[in-house]
Amino acid sequence: MAEREFQFRNFAQGGERVPKELQMFIGGQWVKAASGAVRDILNPADNGTIALAAEGGERDAQKAIAAAKEAFYEGPWVETPPAERARLLFAVADLLAERGSDFAGSETLNTGKPLREAVYDVNDTAACFRYYAGICTKPHGQTYDVSDPMQTMVVREPIGVCGQIVPWNYPLLMAAWKLAPALAAGNTVVFKPSELTPVTAVMLFELLEKAGFPGGVANLVLGPGNTVGQAIASSLDVDKVAFTGGTKTGRSILEASVSNIKQVSLELGGKSPNIVFDDADWETAIDYALFGIFANQGEVCSAGSRLILHEKIHDHFIEELARRASKIRVGNGMDPETEMGPLISREHTEKVLHYIEIGRQEGARLICGGHRISAPPYDQGNFVEPTIFIDTTPEMRIVQEEIFGPVLVVQKFKDEDEAVRLANNSIYGLAGGVFTGDGARALRVIRRLRAGITWINCYNPTYNEAPWGGYKQSGLGRELGTFGYEEYTEVKQININLSVAPSGWFKG
């Protein structure tokens, strides 16, 4: 494996970058795209090429699906004991821990996120594999005492071939969230990372190979969503598709899945509210208001992108929030002093800047940021200032639509009922937070929020043990925890006759 390892020479010190050709992993073999096409993989900090990736297409997807189908229905994987599946997943976690710094550096180079955030992602990824390794050998079923002489039980079995498609904002972590439970449950996988961020997915599949997963069990296909993703979603041989990304694409996935009524889980967009009451702990509320929107450059589905402030503290809170936001250190993610990195691509940067202009045109007042950072050394990268809008109204596009960048919109409320109405006034229902010193009010408000992931007096913590997913147009199903494992299983009822004899129903 050493010759395939992804390497960079002294990049943090401005040294030479060494592009490597990233290949796909299909049927236990590393292969180029059938068409021979490749794509430049860019570093968002300067838009320089850091790798060349195979640009797969429909033929490559079909080949991977066929390999996964053969491995599930004809190979030994489905009969592999849970303890062996657990051993393989633990091995991946151990290998990942050994190469943690390599993975963190590569994740930062490919996504732009600060290195300290990438380190957290790598640690969480290893923990996710360990969690599902532990789930493998735990009880999964029920028994029922029904009328004599019958015994009934329910068992969980793998679904089959699972197509998995992940976004570019957390490419390594999202890979673990899907691969670990699917493999733990005994499925085979066709995995597609974002075409913008395939680097750590390739590195992870190298670890799957080294750990000893049989050929065809885990397959990696690179390429764009409109070809590779569409082929996976519409295939008659794919039994389940799991997708994380935008709501518009999620609808397309859902429509394509009708081909064979395959199972679908979707983790989609959000425009999540963060409610701060006048009795909230001041420092804590400001700290998490910043973290909720500017962590990972705001490229987070659950970002607290709508700050809903009580009118009594609004002006003072905003003054301090803007002061601190303007001091956030934006820069190259490889710089240890960087607190917020560049956006993923020039195209996405233009989208975010367009939303900022829409906010101006709608009449919202910009009190912080709002511009692209273009002075050297930022001129070649995709850097946008931390941005805050106030004086917004509920119907504004910047309040209703997901921007997916470092743009915070602020709303004002008078009482608890108005706070809840503003919070729930969205097509999305992924996440939400409440800050207050009143424990009863905190729980009342949280129970009224139409959201799947909520926090009280904090924002954004995520745990492998707890389910992740949303209400309304934020998706279907859940990831993580036992809920995430069950998403990759079928439920089978087994009825056993304990007194083997004819029923005597028919007399002839």
Side-chain angles (χ1 to χ4, degrees):
M1 291 297 298
E3 69 278 5
R4 289 196 47 78
E5 289 180 359
F6 202 92
Q7 298 176 4
F8 299 92
R9 296 177 186 164
N10 303 319
F11 178 78
Q13 290 75 40
E16 179 186 5
R17 280 165 288 178
V18 184
K20 292 283 185 178
E21 185 174 346
L22 305 177
Q23 296 184 347
M24 298 180 287
F25 190 63
I26 299 176
Q29 301 294 320
W30 292 98
V31 297
K32 298 181 179 182
S35 66
V38 296
R39 171 190 289 262
D40 286 347
I41 304 303
L42 307 181
N43 175 8
D46 62 6
N47 285 297
T49 298
I50 58 172
L52 298 174
E55 183 80 330
E58 183 175 355
R59 281 186 293 169
D60 303 290
Q62 296 299 343
K63 182 179 177 182
I65 292 167
K69 182 179 179 181
E70 181 179 1
F72 184 80
Y73 289 102
E74 300 178 30
W77 179 244
V78 73
E79 299 297 333
T80 299
E84 174 62 10
R85 297 200 301 269
R87 185 193 67 79
L88 293 170
L89 291 170
F90 276 126
V92 172
D94 291 342
L95 291 168
L96 183 59
E98 290 173 9
R99 292 191 56 199
S101 60
D102 294 338
F103 273 83
S106 296
E107 190 82 334
T108 289
L109 286 167
N110 199 180
T111 65
K113 68 177 60 187
L115 186 59
R116 64 179 183 174
E117 292 188 25
V119 169
Y120 277 108
D121 291 352
V122 173
N123 291 337
D124 284 349
T125 298
C128 186
F129 275 98
R130 290 195 175 99
Y131 174 79
Y132 283 107
I135 288 286
C136 283
T137 55
K138 302 304 181 288
H140 301 291
Q142 299 175 353
T143 60
Y144 302 94
D145 291 326
V146 293
S147 57
D148 291 337
M150 301 296 294
Q151 175 71 60
T152 296
M153 62 176 142
V154 170
V155 297
R156 288 191 175 272
E157 297 181 339
I159 294 174
V161 177
C162 297
Q164 302 180 317
I165 305 169
V166 300
W168 43 258
N169 58 335
Y170 288 92
L172 181 62
L173 193 56
M174 294 296 98
W177 284 20
K178 288 182 169 51
L179 287 168
L183 295 172
N187 298 281
T188 59
V189 170
V190 177
F191 181 84
K192 191 199 92 67
S194 167
E195 61 269 30
L196 300 179
T197 54
V199 175
T200 50
V202 172
M203 296 171 67
L204 182 59
F205 269 77
E206 291 177 347
L207 300 190
L208 293 174
E209 180 188 26
K210 188 173 183 179
F213 279 88
V217 169
N219 303 274
L220 171 68
V221 186
L222 308 180
N226 59 4
T227 53
V228 175
Q230 179 68 20
I232 292 171
S234 60
S235 173
L236 298 176
D237 291 326
V238 172
D239 303 299
K240 175 188 171 66
V241 62
F243 170 78
T244 298
T247 298
K248 180 180 178 180
T249 305
R251 290 194 189 96
S252 298
I253 297 281
L254 198 58
E255 291 170 359
S257 70
V258 174
S259 62
N260 63 334
I261 319 296
K262 60 172 59 66
Q263 294 194 34
V264 177
S265 56
L266 304 172
E267 202 266 271
L268 306 176
K271 192 72 175 179
S272 300
N274 187 13
I275 304 170
V276 181
F277 285 90
D278 57 331
D279 64 345
D281 183 87
W282 182 261
E283 291 296 326
T284 300
I286 288 179
D287 176 77
Y288 278 105
L290 293 168
F291 184 66
I293 184 60
F294 299 126
N296 206 59
Q297 304 78 245
E299 296 171 328
V300 183
C301 58
S302 60
S305 53
R306 289 188 293 139
L307 179 61
I308 303 177
L309 292 176
H310 192 277
E311 61 182 8
K312 287 184 180 179
I313 61 170
H314 177 276
D315 293 351
H316 185 30
F317 195 99
I318 288 301
E319 180 182 358
E320 180 63 11
L321 190 71
R323 185 189 71 81
R324 296 194 191 184
S326 66
K327 292 182 176 295
I328 292 174
R329 180 160 179 168
V330 182
N332 189 315
M334 296 300 289
D335 182 344
E337 299 299 317
T338 290
E339 296 175 318
M340 194 181 94
L343 302 185
I344 188 63
S345 67
R346 285 174 172 160
E347 180 182 8
H348 186 60
T349 301
E350 291 303 319
K351 174 189 171 184
V352 171
L353 292 171
H354 179 61
Y355 268 111
I356 293 173
E357 181 58 31
I358 288 173
R360 290 191 179 100
Q361 293 174 2
E362 289 180 320
R365 181 152 64 99
L366 188 65
I367 63 163
C368 179
H371 303 93
R372 183 174 190 164
I373 308 175
S374 56
Y378 304 100
D379 50 326
Q380 298 301 312
N382 311 320
F383 297 94
V384 174
E385 296 172 328
T387 299
I388 301 175
F389 279 105
I390 64 171
D391 296 342
T392 65
T393 56
E395 73 278 1
M396 289 180 176
R397 288 183 62 188
I398 61 168
V399 174
Q400 291 296 326
E401 298 178 18
E402 185 177 41
I403 299 173
F404 218 66
V407 181
L408 178 67
V409 298
V410 181
Q411 298 174 275
K412 189 189 300 185
F413 71 92
K414 294 181 179 180
D415 56 34
E416 186 176 312
D417 287 340
E418 185 180 18
V420 172
R421 283 196 301 271
L422 290 172
N424 287 334
N425 183 24
S426 173
I427 64 171
Y428 299 109
L430 184 56
V434 174
F435 287 79
T436 176
D438 185 335
R441 176 164 60 189
L443 191 55
R444 278 199 311 271
V445 173
I446 284 293
R447 288 172 68 94
R448 294 174 68 188
L449 288 187
R450 302 299 295 166
I453 310 149
T454 61
W455 299 279
I456 295 175
N457 292 326
C458 63
Y459 201 97
N460 265 344
T462 305
Y463 303 99
N464 291 311
E465 296 84 357
W468 183 273
Y471 292 12
K472 299 190 278 188
Q473 293 188 38
S474 287
L476 299 171
R478 293 295 184 268
E479 294 190 296
L480 299 181
T482 57
F483 296 86
Y485 177 88
E486 290 171 358
E487 290 279 345
Y488 287 96
T489 63
E490 293 276 19
V491 176
K492 176 179 285 186
Q493 179 187 152
I494 302 173
N495 297 289
I496 306 166
N497 187 352
L498 301 180
S499 179
V500 181
S503 69
W505 186 263
F506 297 105
K507 304 301 181 182

